[in-house]
Amino acid sequence: MRTWIGCSAAVAWAIAFVPAEGWAEASGAGALPTPAEAENTDGDAADDVSDVSDVSDVSDDAAGDVADDAADDAAGDAADDAAGDAADDAAGDAADDAAGHANDDVSGHAPDGAADGTSDDVAVDNSDDVSDDAAGDASDDAGHANEEGGAPADGQARPEGDDEEGGFSFGSYGRIGIGSDLRGSTPEQANVVAHGSRIAEPNYVEADLYYDVEAAPGVDVRTVTTLALADQMFHYTGDFDATPALRNLFAEATMNDTGGLWIGSRMWRGDDIYLLDYWPLDELNILGGGGWYQHGRVTVQAGVGANRLLDPFQYQEREVNDPVFGAQEIAQLDRQRLLASSKLTYRVLEPVAPLGLGVDASLYLEAQALPSGTRLLDDDTPEELPRDYGYTIGGQLSSWGFADGASHLNLFARYSVGLAAFDELEAPGALNPDLRTYPDASEVLLGVSGNYELPRAPILLGGYVRNARSASVGTGAHAEGWEYIANVRPHFEVAPQVLTGLDMSFQVRFPRGLNPGELIAQDPAVAQLAPMVIYAPSGSGGYDRPQFRLLYRMAYLNEGARNLFAAADPRREQTTTHFLGLQAEWWFNSTYQ
């Protein structure tokens, strides 16, 4: 009997002093509760010495009491206690209490932290319900954070559920829909300007994967991977194929919330005109690096990178003889397009109570350059391409806080010359006699976007005036000239989470040249009306998402717009086009802006 008691005391001592991880590892069981988690376990569990094999189910606190009682019993009347009290108590109280409360503590303990997924600047000056910083720079810590917080001593991220900040998180932007043109065909957008109304725009989705870690005190590191899929729905086309794009792949370090740097491939952009799905000022798709710094009311952003499009304007291969393999492909032309930009933002008016009105003023600069090179024409004649340049200078004035919710107003102005007058992901359509875009190509743009949150009635607006000129006079004259578009979408909440809306837009172009098909001067114009019913479970604000929409759109095309179609195209005879369909749009914790 004394031997039995001595073994029991030894086991109790081991339970009390051997780390719980060791017992869990040895037994194959899950981690035992810590003393703090099991402090409410009944003291009667201390008498549980009748069944040594079940002792690992008892909490650490109970284990300490077992050691005390077992020692007392061994010094006194060990036989009576072991045979009597221990048997009764262990079979009753300890079995119920220790196995119940202690196990509840183990399985019920869960971190209270959650991914933030929002930006502090959402209600400030962003027209797509995300911050002014580019492509997720100003996203709050989207990692899963435990209530106890704290950085790992080794600087490594902990898995979700540990008592440390960081880990994986997820975000997404997406839009998807289906509709008919009421003539039995697939509906299309009806636009004649460069950036028209987004009604009936194609399906698109982005999936964002983040990993956050506090790499050092005051230094937060985030990696961002964004996979995008365009409008190729297997259930619609029957083609089991999709073309994904890696829209973001970069790492970013933020230092004490006053500055940061990033390196990688990313969408780097600021505020947009939501109704047109268009970024009128700072929007670059860039492989490179950059950073930002904030001091007081001043924020400075800068970045540099390059691209090399698979287009004969920048890249060309040719076949040459090879003494070993017979022939091989080599790069005949390889011109990297240098892209550099900077943005200076000054907080003119700090948002203070009771009105909370804030005003920002920004200056934006961009430079682009291409080296010289030699390409081959179709008949293998070499053609020398000279160096080319471009620049942009622009500004933005933003105001927010003048009404509830995400109310804001953004004014944009931009002047671009040379390469910067074209999208960086497209080769220039026309060149001057020197085979360059600089200094002849140019673009001037004035834009506006806003949202006004009236009670139960948000109003979205957007539009721009633009003048474009190509580098080659005459060849692109019909694509040149002035154009403008105005778009407004008022909503009204008719029931909780249910809104009605009416999207209204008008767009027109004033080309410098004649219509190439009719050889007459025409000004293409389109007017659109799109009533809709919206289910918005997250709220009735203009930028609350997700939204589920039932909508109808009617577009009127004047003769100039219809004559943009080929002569044999049946759409040339359709004065009005229709769209009746369903749409869903969402964004959460997303880099999409």
Side-chain angles (χ1 to χ4, degrees):
M1 181 65 68
R2 291 183 179 178
T3 301
W4 180 86
I5 294 173
C7 291
S8 300
V11 171
W13 179 88
I15 295 173
F17 292 97
V18 174
E21 294 86 343
W23 284 98
E25 187 176 283
S27 64
L32 293 176
T34 62
E37 294 170 328
E39 62 184 357
N40 62 335
T41 305
D42 194 280
D44 291 339
D47 296 327
D48 188 10
V49 293
S50 62
D51 191 352
V52 177
S53 64
D54 294 334
V55 73
S56 62
D57 294 333
V58 184
S59 68
D60 291 344
D61 283 0
D65 293 340
V66 171
D68 295 337
D69 286 359
D72 293 339
D73 289 345
D77 192 0
D80 291 339
D81 286 341
D85 294 341
D88 294 338
D89 290 341
D93 295 337
D96 295 336
D97 204 353
H101 295 304
N103 286 341
D104 287 345
D105 282 344
V106 175
S107 62
H109 180 71
D112 294 336
D116 192 335
T118 58
S119 168
D120 295 334
D121 294 334
V122 166
V124 179
D125 62 349
N126 191 323
S127 59
D128 206 359
D129 198 26
V130 288
S131 69
D132 179 62
D133 291 331
D137 281 351
S139 297
D140 289 341
D141 183 11
H144 295 275
N146 184 270
E147 59 182 348
E148 295 181 16
D154 58 0
Q156 299 299 314
R158 303 302 191 203
E160 182 181 344
D162 280 7
D163 294 340
E164 309 292 347
E165 293 185 354
F168 287 103
S169 56
F170 177 76
S172 177
Y173 167 81
R175 58 178 184 260
I176 191 166
I178 181 63
S180 170
D181 67 354
L182 301 184
R183 292 183 173 95
S185 300
T186 303
E188 297 179 336
Q189 292 181 282
N191 294 318
V192 295
V193 297
H195 309 283
S197 169
R198 70 185 301 163
I199 295 292
E201 66 182 341
N203 299 321
Y204 179 76
V205 66
E206 291 177 356
D208 300 300
L209 180 64
Y210 310 100
Y211 189 79
D212 295 273
V213 60
E214 186 176 15
V219 180
D220 297 319
V221 174
R222 157 174 282 196
T223 62
V224 179
T225 305
T226 301
L227 183 67
L229 294 171
D231 191 18
Q232 282 290 338
M233 300 295 109
F234 163 69
H235 297 94
Y236 188 72
T237 65
D239 186 5
F240 196 74
D241 190 19
T243 305
L246 198 59
R247 296 302 306 271
N248 285 313
L249 182 61
F250 66 91
E252 180 180 34
T254 302
M255 290 75 116
N256 296 315
D257 294 325
T258 60
L261 58 89
W262 61 268
I263 295 176
S265 176
R266 70 179 299 176
M267 299 176 286
W268 199 34
R269 54 196 187 185
D271 293 323
D272 72 339
I273 303 176
Y274 168 76
L275 292 179
L276 309 182
D277 197 15
Y278 173 48
W279 285 257
L281 185 61
D282 45 338
E283 181 196 20
L284 285 177
N285 292 272
I286 187 172
L287 175 60
W292 62 276
Y293 176 74
Q294 182 176 0
H295 179 73
R297 296 191 175 195
V298 178
T299 301
V300 179
Q301 297 171 275
V304 62
N307 73 22
R308 191 212 59 195
L309 305 181
L310 297 179
D311 183 277
F313 186 66
Q314 288 186 245
Y315 185 76
Q316 186 184 59
E317 292 183 344
R318 69 184 179 99
E319 189 177 274
V320 297
N321 294 326
D322 185 276
V324 177
F325 300 103
Q328 67 170 330
E329 296 286 336
I330 66 168
Q332 168 68 31
L333 179 70
D334 189 345
R335 300 205 295 173
Q336 279 191 334
R337 187 172 182 171
L338 177 68
L339 306 165
S341 70
S342 62
K343 186 177 183 179
L344 174 67
T345 301
Y346 179 72
R347 179 64 52 84
V348 178
L349 184 62
E350 290 280 3
V352 295
L355 184 59
L357 178 65
V359 177
D360 275 354
S362 299
L363 174 66
Y364 178 75
L365 300 174
E366 180 183 315
Q368 300 187 22
L370 271 172
S372 60
T374 303
R375 67 179 176 183
L376 298 179
L377 302 179
D378 293 338
D379 60 358
D380 288 338
T381 302
E383 182 178 55
E384 297 295 330
L385 296 175
R387 294 179 180 179
D388 207 352
Y389 307 95
Y391 67 86
T392 292
I393 182 170
Q396 178 178 340
L397 189 64
S398 302
S399 178
W400 67 95
F402 49 79
D404 294 336
S407 298
H408 67 271
L409 182 67
N410 294 325
L411 303 176
F412 308 95
R414 190 184 81 224
Y415 175 65
S416 300
V417 176
L419 290 172
F422 302 91
D423 191 310
E424 73 276 6
L425 295 181
E426 295 181 1
L431 304 175
N432 64 16
D434 296 330
L435 301 181
R436 301 197 307 173
T437 63
Y438 184 86
D440 300 290
S442 65
E443 182 185 38
V444 177
L445 183 138
L446 300 174
V448 60
S449 71
N451 177 48
Y452 192 72
E453 299 276 353
L454 294 170
R456 303 175 60 190
I459 302 174
L460 291 166
L461 63 91
Y464 68 82
V465 177
R466 172 178 176 263
N467 182 39
R469 179 185 290 270
S470 71
S472 178
V473 178
T475 58
H478 193 261
E480 301 175 1
W482 287 94
E483 66 181 34
Y484 73 82
I485 179 172
N487 199 166
V488 62
R489 185 187 295 181
H491 305 77
F492 184 74
E493 187 177 14
V494 296
Q497 302 176 338
V498 178
L499 300 91
T500 59
L502 180 63
D503 190 282
M504 300 171 287
S505 67
F506 180 76
Q507 54 187 286
V508 63
R509 282 179 47 211
F510 305 98
R512 292 179 54 229
L514 303 179
N515 183 301
E518 301 299 318
L519 296 180
I520 58 175
Q522 291 181 319
D523 299 331
V526 176
Q528 299 187 67
L529 288 176
M532 61 188 73
V533 179
I534 303 169
Y535 172 58
S538 296
S540 60
Y543 288 100
D544 288 333
R545 295 296 183 275
Q547 286 189 352
F548 301 83
R549 309 178 188 125
L550 169 64
L551 63 90
Y552 165 77
R553 182 219 64 195
M554 183 187 72
Y556 171 79
L557 289 73
N558 72 355
E559 183 180 10
R562 298 195 306 274
N563 285 340
L564 295 177
F565 295 111
D569 194 323
R571 295 173 294 178
R572 192 181 179 103
E573 306 302 322
Q574 298 173 3
T575 303
T576 60
T577 65
H578 306 273
F579 171 81
L580 177 64
L582 303 171
Q583 291 181 338
E585 185 181 39
W586 66 88
W587 57 64
F588 59 91
N589 196 23
S590 172
T591 61
Y592 184 89
Q593 300 185 52

